[in-house]
Amino acid sequence: DAGITQSPRHKVTETGTPVTLRCHQTENHRYMYWYRQDPGHGLRLIHYSYGVKDTDKGEVSDGYSVSRSKTEDFLLTLESATSSQTSVYFCAIRAVDGNSPLHFGNGTRLTVT
Amino acid sequence: EDQVTQSPEALRLQEGESSSLNCSYTVSGLRGLFWYRQDPGKGPEFLFTLYSAGEEKEKERLKATLTKKESFLHITAPKPEDSATYLCAVQAVRNNAGNMLTFGGGTRLMVKP
């Protein structure tokens, strides 16, 4: 594994509650990403970070926010969870070399009831 | 808009029966094409990067090839342990800020003994 830890691994929450997912890396990589994976849609980018306090939106960012206060940690927050946000969330990291591949964590399975 | 389409969605093979997975892509300037393997409950695991048409990469029973419109993942004499979902992703030249990847929906491969 590429030194990526996601927590929690599983979470069940109720509609309308805030949820924060954590990604921690030990590789000191500059780039970090949050993807969601759903049947029929594949992996879709939510937000990404290109440095401490530097973040930007991906293709499915509505309803999500992120923060990166340290190189090693990238947080994904659902301000008010909805059932459509039930999914598997993956964090990925990438070295500064633009041709290097993404390396993924093992995901967080989130269920919003 | 970048697009990646993988076919077939699912493929069942007998052990030893060679076959190929297809990844068709549309991107305005390919920077790299990536293949990943994903096991149930795990994050995608990097396999190959291809950069230009005509390039080939091999790893054990897997061989990836690239043309200007598609990539193939050839599996020679597969074993049951090759069963997994195989994902293809592209990175466009213009995505320098985030080095973002666009993923296809994947091919689920099942190899029976």
Side-chain angles (χ1 to χ4, degrees):
Chain A
D1 290 344
I4 307 167
T5 303
Q6 291 187 235
S7 58
R9 289 297 315 278
H10 302 272
K11 186 170 181 66
V12 179
T13 192
E14 293 184 350
T15 298
T17 60
V19 177
T20 295
L21 308 183
R22 180 180 185 241
C23 178
H24 178 79
Q25 62 147 328
T26 58
E27 305 296 320
N28 200 36
H29 283 350
R30 176 180 176 183
Y31 293 96
M32 298 186 76
Y33 306 80
W34 278 107
Y35 281 85
R36 61 178 289 175
Q37 187 174 41
D38 305 287
H41 291 279
L43 281 159
R44 292 179 292 173
L45 181 66
I46 305 171
H47 281 281
Y48 66 96
S49 170
Y50 46 96
V52 173
K53 298 186 179 179
D54 290 323
T55 65
D56 206 346
K57 296 178 180 180
E59 65 175 302
V60 291
S61 59
D62 289 347
Y64 302 95
S65 63
V66 291
S67 66
R68 191 167 179 201
S69 59
K70 298 184 290 184
T71 298
E72 57 266 35
D73 290 325
F74 193 30
L75 303 180
L76 176 70
T77 297
L78 290 65
E79 303 291 347
S80 177
T82 67
S83 59
S84 65
Q85 293 175 314
T86 292
S87 186
V88 181
Y89 291 86
F90 287 100
C91 173
I93 64 175
R94 192 173 197 178
V96 68
D97 174 3
N99 292 334
S100 60
L102 292 179
H103 293 284
F104 287 85
N106 281 325
T108 293
R109 181 174 294 276
L110 177 67
T111 303
V112 183
T113 61
Chain B
E1 181 181 336
D2 304 335
Q3 288 193 323
V4 181
T5 303
Q6 292 187 245
S7 62
E9 290 187 9
L11 180 62
R12 296 185 178 186
L13 299 174
Q14 289 295 131
E15 184 172 3
E17 179 186 2
S18 301
S19 188
S20 297
L21 282 55
N22 178 264
C23 171
S24 297
Y25 65 91
T26 303
V27 63
S28 55
L30 179 70
R31 185 168 185 177
L33 185 141
F34 301 80
W35 281 99
Y36 286 83
R37 169 191 171 128
Q38 186 175 22
D39 293 300
K42 297 289 187 68
E45 176 186 351
F46 170 71
L47 292 173
F48 305 110
T49 308
L50 301 167
Y51 297 105
S52 58
E55 188 175 2
E56 299 181 353
K57 293 272 181 76
E58 286 189 66
K59 180 179 181 179
E60 296 181 355
R61 295 175 293 281
L62 301 177
K63 178 180 177 180
T65 62
L66 181 65
T67 72
K68 289 186 178 180
K69 293 184 178 181
E70 57 192 349
S71 177
F72 291 94
L73 186 64
H74 306 279
I75 303 177
T76 302
K79 297 182 178 182
E81 53 261 42
D82 294 321
S83 297
T85 296
Y86 291 85
L87 303 173
C88 170
V90 297
Q91 181 186 358
V93 170
R94 70 178 183 284
N95 284 337
N96 287 331
N99 295 314
M100 295 174 286
L101 301 188
T102 300
F103 282 84
T107 293
R108 184 182 173 206
L109 174 66
M110 294 156 280
V111 182
K112 292 187 175 182

